[in-house]
């Protein structure tokens, strides 16, 4: 278990991998998929999930590339429609403002997802960011 001289509960050292060389930004070794998140594995395995379960990073990247222009386009369309609408129109300015804000938020989320996916792909392939 964890002790003052070894804070890692798994018994290994956090700064080095099985070969004793540093992984991640300090070293030049690729980061394994099991530790590719911000903090790696968040909890111990329950035993019911696959050992090598992986996120489909390339699929997430393709979906982001497809949906970012779609969400940007929807945001622009809703913003123009909102700007030209009058209080008696249906949908009204209040509804159009919510649609514009929603499409804008989806755009921001898709961009954040794309950035995270690209960083994880780069990190796993061994290309470490400076």
């Amino acid at each position: 278990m964890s002790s003052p001289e070894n804070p890692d509960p798994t018994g290994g050292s956090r700064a080095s991998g099985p070969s004793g060389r540093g992984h991640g930004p300090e070293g030049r070794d690729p980061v394994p998929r099991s530790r590719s998140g911000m903090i790696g594995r968040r909890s111990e395995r329950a035993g019911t999930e696959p050992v090598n379960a992986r996120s489909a990073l390339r699929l997430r990247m393709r979906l982001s590339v497809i949906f970012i222009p779609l969400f940007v386009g929807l945001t622009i369309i809703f913003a123009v429609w909102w700007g030209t609408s009058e209080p008696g129109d249906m949908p009204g300015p209040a509804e159009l403002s919510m649609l514009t804000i929603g499409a804008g938020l989806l755009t921001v989320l898709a961009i954040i997802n794309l950035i995270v996916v690209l960083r994880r792909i780069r990190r796993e392939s061994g290309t470490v960011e400076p």
Side-chain angles (χ1 to χ4, degrees), residues 5-6 23 39 65 81 88-89 130:
E5 56 274 346
N6 187 6
H23 286 280
I39 57 174
V65 168
W81 191 6
D89 290 344

Side-chain angles (χ1 to χ4, degrees), residues 8 10 14 23 31-42 120 123-124:
D8 189 8
T10 61
R14 289 179 187 250
H23 286 280
V31 176
R33 287 295 296 255
S34 64
R35 299 290 297 174
S36 66
M38 289 286 287
I39 57 174
R41 211 174 267 159
R42 292 187 185 98
R120 288 179 69 185
R123 189 171 171 203
E124 289 172 7

Side-chain angles (χ1 to χ4, degrees), residues 71-91:
F71 292 148
V72 168
L74 285 174
T75 303
I76 292 170
I77 289 170
F78 288 141
V80 170
W81 191 6
W82 178 24
T84 60
S85 69
E86 297 178 4
D89 290 344
M90 208 34 125

Side-chain angles (χ1 to χ4, degrees), residues 33 55-69 109-122:
R33 287 295 296 255
S55 173
L57 294 177
R58 303 262 182 218
L59 176 62
R60 284 176 57 189
M61 182 179 67
R62 288 184 190 118
L63 289 173
S64 291
V65 168
I66 291 169
F67 282 102
I68 287 172
L109 289 174
I111 290 170
I112 291 170
N113 182 52
L114 182 62
I115 291 169
V116 167
V117 166
L118 289 175
R119 287 182 68 198
R120 288 179 69 185
I121 288 173
R122 222 178 279 130

